[in-house]
Amino acid sequence: MTKLYLVRHGETVDNVNCIIQGQTQGKLTANGIKQAEMLAVELAGIHLDAIVASDLARAVDTAEVIAIRHSLDVETTAMLRERDWGGFTGRYIPDLEHEVWPDDIETLDNLLKRASEFIEWIKEKHHGETVLAVGHGIINKAIQAVYLGKKMNEVQRMQNAEVRILEL
């Protein structure tokens, strides 16, 4: 069995400003760094074999704060990237309520396929290990939906620097 500590990155400037980040790098706020540090302290007594993160800066920066306490390197993967919001990327979220979705947004089917591929990759590459993975709100929701066999809207969204444990 592989134990997966699934984490959402710390708070970012765009989170605070209600901007859709999608697959942009993002920058942690001072509070986001503090959230990552608090999570690192919380997880300090837990043995981790590996730490993986989305290859976007906000996830890597969060993972690195935790990795330092465990003397581990952070492995990155595009499978953990946030949903690609296409033409909505960089837009103010409240302004989008009545907008028609552009055709360039990553489909839900593609997102769930990526989530499934990530789970299989972790099970194969880190079989029997304890792994911490830092992702993003929507991809983490998709990973949990696949794991639990539920629809996306049946999975509660994770808060910044929240951790959920999955046994694969």
mmCIF file of all heavy atoms in Angstrom, residues 7 27 31-32 41 52 58 60-61 79 84 86 88 94 100 125 130 139 152 154 165:
data_model
loop_
_atom_site.group_PDB
_atom_site.id
_atom_site.type_symbol
_atom_site.label_atom_id
_atom_site.label_comp_id
_atom_site.label_asym_id
_atom_site.label_seq_id
_atom_site.Cartn_x
_atom_site.Cartn_y
_atom_site.Cartn_z
ATOM 1 N N VAL A 7 -1.711 17.521 -0.622
ATOM 2 C CA VAL A 7 -1.683 18.872 -0.056
ATOM 3 C C VAL A 7 -2.028 19.892 -1.138
ATOM 4 O O VAL A 7 -1.610 19.741 -2.291
ATOM 5 C CB VAL A 7 -0.277 19.189 0.521
ATOM 6 C CG1 VAL A 7 -0.156 20.633 0.981
ATOM 7 C CG2 VAL A 7 0.065 18.221 1.646
ATOM 8 N N LYS A 27 2.446 33.140 -6.955
ATOM 9 C CA LYS A 27 3.419 33.532 -5.935
ATOM 10 C C LYS A 27 2.758 33.441 -4.569
ATOM 11 O O LYS A 27 1.684 34.002 -4.350
ATOM 12 C CB LYS A 27 3.895 34.959 -6.197
ATOM 13 C CG LYS A 27 4.917 35.463 -5.187
ATOM 14 C CD LYS A 27 5.486 36.806 -5.621
ATOM 15 C CE LYS A 27 6.419 37.417 -4.612
ATOM 16 N NZ LYS A 27 7.402 36.546 -4.023
ATOM 17 N N ASN A 31 1.474 34.976 4.154
ATOM 18 C CA ASN A 31 0.608 34.034 4.846
ATOM 19 C C ASN A 31 0.737 32.631 4.253
ATOM 20 O O ASN A 31 0.731 31.636 4.985
ATOM 21 C CB ASN A 31 -0.852 34.504 4.793
ATOM 22 C CG ASN A 31 -1.764 33.614 5.604
ATOM 23 O OD1 ASN A 31 -1.514 33.342 6.768
ATOM 24 N ND2 ASN A 31 -2.834 33.145 4.982
ATOM 25 N N GLY A 32 0.869 32.537 2.934
ATOM 26 C CA GLY A 32 1.038 31.245 2.275
ATOM 27 C C GLY A 32 2.326 30.551 2.699
ATOM 28 O O GLY A 32 2.358 29.339 2.892
ATOM 29 N N VAL A 41 5.812 21.832 10.166
ATOM 30 C CA VAL A 41 5.922 21.502 11.597
ATOM 31 C C VAL A 41 4.959 20.371 11.945
ATOM 32 O O VAL A 41 5.316 19.403 12.635
ATOM 33 C CB VAL A 41 5.659 22.756 12.473
ATOM 34 C CG1 VAL A 41 5.507 22.385 13.937
ATOM 35 C CG2 VAL A 41 6.778 23.771 12.286
ATOM 36 N N VAL A 52 6.523 15.021 -3.950
ATOM 37 C CA VAL A 52 6.311 15.420 -5.340
ATOM 38 C C VAL A 52 5.421 16.655 -5.351
ATOM 39 O O VAL A 52 4.665 16.892 -4.414
ATOM 40 C CB VAL A 52 5.690 14.293 -6.199
ATOM 41 C CG1 VAL A 52 6.606 13.096 -6.271
ATOM 42 C CG2 VAL A 52 4.322 13.904 -5.698
ATOM 43 N N ARG A 58 4.017 27.936 -7.227
ATOM 44 C CA ARG A 58 3.299 27.992 -5.947
ATOM 45 C C ARG A 58 3.266 26.640 -5.237
ATOM 46 O O ARG A 58 3.312 26.568 -4.011
ATOM 47 C CB ARG A 58 1.908 28.584 -6.127
ATOM 48 C CG ARG A 58 0.978 27.827 -7.063
ATOM 49 C CD ARG A 58 -0.241 28.705 -7.395
ATOM 50 N NE ARG A 58 -1.297 28.042 -8.118
ATOM 51 C CZ ARG A 58 -1.417 28.014 -9.433
ATOM 52 N NH1 ARG A 58 -0.508 28.594 -10.205
ATOM 53 N NH2 ARG A 58 -2.452 27.412 -9.997
ATOM 54 N N VAL A 60 5.629 24.114 -5.913
ATOM 55 C CA VAL A 60 7.037 23.795 -5.633
ATOM 56 C C VAL A 60 7.496 24.540 -4.378
ATOM 57 O O VAL A 60 8.132 23.944 -3.497
ATOM 58 C CB VAL A 60 7.943 24.142 -6.835
ATOM 59 C CG1 VAL A 60 9.412 23.967 -6.480
ATOM 60 C CG2 VAL A 60 7.581 23.285 -8.040
ATOM 61 N N ASP A 61 7.170 25.816 -4.274
ATOM 62 C CA ASP A 61 7.583 26.611 -3.107
ATOM 63 C C ASP A 61 7.002 26.050 -1.818
ATOM 64 O O ASP A 61 7.681 25.991 -0.791
ATOM 65 C CB ASP A 61 7.185 28.077 -3.284
ATOM 66 C CG ASP A 61 7.941 28.760 -4.416
ATOM 67 O OD1 ASP A 61 8.950 28.202 -4.895
ATOM 68 O OD2 ASP A 61 7.519 29.866 -4.827
ATOM 69 N N MET A 79 1.632 16.389 -14.221
ATOM 70 C CA MET A 79 0.352 15.725 -13.948
ATOM 71 C C MET A 79 -0.404 16.412 -12.813
ATOM 72 O O MET A 79 -1.625 16.348 -12.754
ATOM 73 C CB MET A 79 0.569 14.248 -13.592
ATOM 74 C CG MET A 79 0.913 13.381 -14.775
ATOM 75 S SD MET A 79 1.070 11.630 -14.318
ATOM 76 C CE MET A 79 2.701 11.627 -13.564
ATOM 77 N N ASP A 84 -6.282 23.746 -16.623
ATOM 78 C CA ASP A 84 -5.992 24.832 -17.562
ATOM 79 C C ASP A 84 -7.303 25.562 -17.838
ATOM 80 O O ASP A 84 -8.218 25.007 -18.443
ATOM 81 C CB ASP A 84 -5.403 24.263 -18.843
ATOM 82 C CG ASP A 84 -4.982 25.333 -19.829
ATOM 83 O OD1 ASP A 84 -5.339 26.516 -19.638
ATOM 84 O OD2 ASP A 84 -4.300 24.990 -20.805
ATOM 85 N N GLY A 86 -7.684 28.196 -19.704
ATOM 86 C CA GLY A 86 -7.702 28.847 -21.010
ATOM 87 C C GLY A 86 -7.924 30.346 -20.919
ATOM 88 O O GLY A 86 -7.240 31.048 -20.183
ATOM 89 N N PHE A 88 -10.045 32.048 -19.428
ATOM 90 C CA PHE A 88 -10.427 32.568 -18.110
ATOM 91 C C PHE A 88 -9.203 32.855 -17.231
ATOM 92 O O PHE A 88 -9.307 33.525 -16.212
ATOM 93 C CB PHE A 88 -11.352 31.600 -17.391
ATOM 94 C CG PHE A 88 -12.804 31.680 -17.794
ATOM 95 C CD1 PHE A 88 -13.719 30.770 -17.275
ATOM 96 C CD2 PHE A 88 -13.276 32.642 -18.666
ATOM 97 C CE1 PHE A 88 -15.060 30.834 -17.618
ATOM 98 C CE2 PHE A 88 -14.618 32.710 -19.029
ATOM 99 C CZ PHE A 88 -15.513 31.797 -18.499
ATOM 100 N N PRO A 94 -15.321 36.744 -9.717
ATOM 101 C CA PRO A 94 -16.719 37.201 -9.687
ATOM 102 C C PRO A 94 -17.243 37.729 -11.028
ATOM 103 O O PRO A 94 -18.448 37.684 -11.271
ATOM 104 C CB PRO A 94 -16.704 38.313 -8.628
ATOM 105 C CG PRO A 94 -15.582 37.930 -7.710
ATOM 106 C CD PRO A 94 -14.535 37.357 -8.643
ATOM 107 N N VAL A 100 -19.924 32.774 -20.825
ATOM 108 C CA VAL A 100 -19.897 31.492 -21.530
ATOM 109 C C VAL A 100 -18.462 30.969 -21.469
ATOM 110 O O VAL A 100 -17.514 31.708 -21.706
ATOM 111 C CB VAL A 100 -20.332 31.677 -22.999
ATOM 112 C CG1 VAL A 100 -20.192 30.373 -23.772
ATOM 113 C CG2 VAL A 100 -21.758 32.206 -23.066
ATOM 114 N N LYS A 125 5.509 4.080 -9.140
ATOM 115 C CA LYS A 125 6.837 4.624 -8.831
ATOM 116 C C LYS A 125 7.158 4.584 -7.335
ATOM 117 O O LYS A 125 8.312 4.428 -6.944
ATOM 118 C CB LYS A 125 6.944 6.054 -9.346
ATOM 119 C CG LYS A 125 8.327 6.636 -9.129
ATOM 120 C CD LYS A 125 8.565 7.885 -9.890
ATOM 121 C CE LYS A 125 10.023 8.274 -9.678
ATOM 122 N NZ LYS A 125 10.427 9.419 -10.415
ATOM 123 N N THR A 130 5.480 6.201 1.591
ATOM 124 C CA THR A 130 4.668 7.322 2.069
ATOM 125 C C THR A 130 5.132 8.556 1.313
ATOM 126 O O THR A 130 6.299 8.934 1.392
ATOM 127 C CB THR A 130 4.826 7.521 3.591
ATOM 128 O OG1 THR A 130 4.410 6.316 4.249
ATOM 129 C CG2 THR A 130 3.977 8.682 4.081
ATOM 130 N N ILE A 139 -7.216 20.142 -9.324
ATOM 131 C CA ILE A 139 -6.602 18.839 -9.614
ATOM 132 C C ILE A 139 -6.664 17.941 -8.379
ATOM 133 O O ILE A 139 -6.922 16.742 -8.494
ATOM 134 C CB ILE A 139 -5.149 18.953 -10.165
ATOM 135 C CG1 ILE A 139 -4.613 17.562 -10.594
ATOM 136 C CG2 ILE A 139 -4.219 19.605 -9.175
ATOM 137 C CD1 ILE A 139 -5.348 16.882 -11.711
ATOM 138 N N MET A 152 -16.962 15.083 -9.186
ATOM 139 C CA MET A 152 -16.189 16.234 -8.683
ATOM 140 C C MET A 152 -16.990 17.060 -7.676
ATOM 141 O O MET A 152 -16.457 17.477 -6.651
ATOM 142 C CB MET A 152 -15.749 17.127 -9.845
ATOM 143 C CG MET A 152 -14.688 16.530 -10.727
ATOM 144 S SD MET A 152 -13.025 16.742 -10.109
ATOM 145 C CE MET A 152 -12.796 18.488 -10.322
ATOM 146 N N GLU A 154 -19.042 16.205 -5.601
ATOM 147 C CA GLU A 154 -19.266 15.496 -4.344
ATOM 148 C C GLU A 154 -18.034 15.523 -3.427
ATOM 149 O O GLU A 154 -18.082 15.002 -2.321
ATOM 150 C CB GLU A 154 -19.633 14.035 -4.622
ATOM 151 C CG GLU A 154 -20.944 13.875 -5.368
ATOM 152 C CD GLU A 154 -21.239 12.431 -5.767
ATOM 153 O OE1 GLU A 154 -20.293 11.682 -6.086
ATOM 154 O OE2 GLU A 154 -22.420 12.070 -5.760
ATOM 155 N N ILE A 165 -5.331 12.491 3.442
ATOM 156 C CA ILE A 165 -4.553 11.254 3.329
ATOM 157 C C ILE A 165 -5.340 10.216 2.516
ATOM 158 O O ILE A 165 -6.487 9.931 2.831
ATOM 159 C CB ILE A 165 -4.195 10.699 4.714
ATOM 160 C CG1 ILE A 165 -3.401 11.747 5.511
ATOM 161 C CG2 ILE A 165 -3.413 9.394 4.590
ATOM 162 C CD1 ILE A 165 -3.213 11.404 6.975
#
